[in-house]
């Protein structure tokens, strides 16, 4: 791993708290431009604001669909995805419905993903599995469904479940993805050492609310 590479390029700097304010989103966007994060990942209501603040920069706007539980109807998720991209999001992180997956209805999971991908049009879709509820075989089957559904990424966690990202889960996802889609690790990643662990495991995007401190750690230690 190249420790001289700025970690910001792989980070979705995230603020999804229910108490988030417009002022906090504006500050997040300013930090994202300053540090060079891949995207800001924010609540849907703030997408137009962030798209305006980040216009002309290299930082993308990411938002969420079916968040955080995933049990919205497929029709609702499709509409959410279409609305987000129309408002300026370039990436959409969707939560799958866990019930069908746990019951073995992989075709239903795949179809919902495919519908959201179609609705997002040019927007890249990341499929959130909430791995803390799943066994390794289910993680791998869900990753395969994400591949067949046309997603760009498969993602570990919302950060709102009982556990966040786990290295072993990322490794299972990477194995199942087999280079066909990318893997995003998110949930509880707050230090540069954790960042390194997940990137070493194969994650190509990191979701965290601690992006600024991670980059500062990198600057202090490696530059």
């Amino acid at each position: 791993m190249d420790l001289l590479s700025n970690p910001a390029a792989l980070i979705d700097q995230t603020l999804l708290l229910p108490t988030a304010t417009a002022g906090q989103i504006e500050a997040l966007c300013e930090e994202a431009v300053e540090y060079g994060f891949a995207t800001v990942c924010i609540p849907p209501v703030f997408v137009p604001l962030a798209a305006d603040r980040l216009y002309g920069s290299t930082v993308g706007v990411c938002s969420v669909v079916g968040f955080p539980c995933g049990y919205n109807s497929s029709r609702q998720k499709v509409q959410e995805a279409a609305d987000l991209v129309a408002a300026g999001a370039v990436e959409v992180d969707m939560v799958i419905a866990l019930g069908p997956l746990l019951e073995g209805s992989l075709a239903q999971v795949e179809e919902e993903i495919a519908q959201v991908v179609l609705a997002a049009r040019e927007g890249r879709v990341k499929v959130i599995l909430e791995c803390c509820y799943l066994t390794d075989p289910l993680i791998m089957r869900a990753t395969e469904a994400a591949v067949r559904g046309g997603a760009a990424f498969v993602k570990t966690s919302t950060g709102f479940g009982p556990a966040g990202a786990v290295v072993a889960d990322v490794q299972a996802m990477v194995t199942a993805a087999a280079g066909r889609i990318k893997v995003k690790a998110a949930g509880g990643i707050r230090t540069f050492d954790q960042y390194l662990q997940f990137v070493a495991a194969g994650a190509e995007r990191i979701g965290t609310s601690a992006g600024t401190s991670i980059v500062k750690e990198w600057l202090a230690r490696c530059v």
Side-chain angles (χ1 to χ4, degrees):
M1 185 185 307
D2 182 7
L3 296 182
L4 296 180
S5 297
N6 186 345
L10 298 185
I11 291 176
D12 291 340
Q13 176 72 335
T14 302
L15 176 56
L16 289 169
L17 294 174
T19 55
T21 66
Q24 289 173 326
I25 297 298
E26 289 176 335
L28 191 80
C29 291
E30 290 174 7
E31 282 186 344
V33 172
E34 178 182 355
Y35 289 95
F37 293 119
T39 75
V40 292
C41 187
I42 57 173
V45 69
F46 294 119
V47 166
L49 172 63
D52 180 65
R53 292 295 184 271
L54 293 171
Y55 181 79
S57 78
T58 61
V59 181
V61 178
C62 173
S63 194
V64 290
V65 163
F67 196 87
C69 294
Y71 48 35
N72 313 58
S73 70
S74 294
R75 183 177 180 181
Q76 287 173 308
K77 291 179 183 179
V78 164
Q79 188 62 58
E80 283 184 280
D83 288 348
L84 290 175
V85 172
V90 297
E91 295 187 355
V92 171
D93 289 17
M94 68 163 288
V95 187
I96 64 166
L98 286 170
L101 177 63
L102 293 169
E103 292 175 337
S105 300
L106 287 172
Q108 183 177 341
V109 175
E110 180 184 336
E111 175 60 24
E112 179 174 89
I113 294 168
Q115 288 180 27
V116 171
V117 168
L118 183 62
R121 300 173 65 88
E122 69 275 12
R124 293 179 293 276
V125 174
K126 307 191 200 84
V127 175
I128 306 174
L129 305 185
E130 204 70 286
C131 291
C132 60
Y133 295 116
L134 307 176
T135 62
D136 279 358
L138 276 177
I139 289 170
M140 297 182 78
R141 288 178 200 137
T143 299
E144 185 64 40
V147 171
R148 292 196 301 265
F153 283 81
V154 64
K155 176 179 170 182
T156 58
S157 324
T158 62
F160 286 74
V166 175
V167 168
D169 293 342
V170 168
Q171 292 169 333
M173 295 160 78
V174 169
T175 298
R180 293 171 293 171
I181 60 174
K182 298 179 180 181
V183 173
K184 174 178 174 179
I189 303 171
R190 305 197 61 80
T191 70
F192 182 55
D193 284 337
Q194 289 175 309
Y195 166 91
L196 291 175
Q197 290 172 358
F198 283 103
V199 172
E204 296 184 67
R205 189 73 64 85
I206 302 294
T208 177
S209 59
T212 299
S213 62
I214 288 172
V215 174
K216 287 180 177 178
E217 276 192 72
W218 167 71
L219 289 168
R221 292 168 51 182
C222 302
V223 177

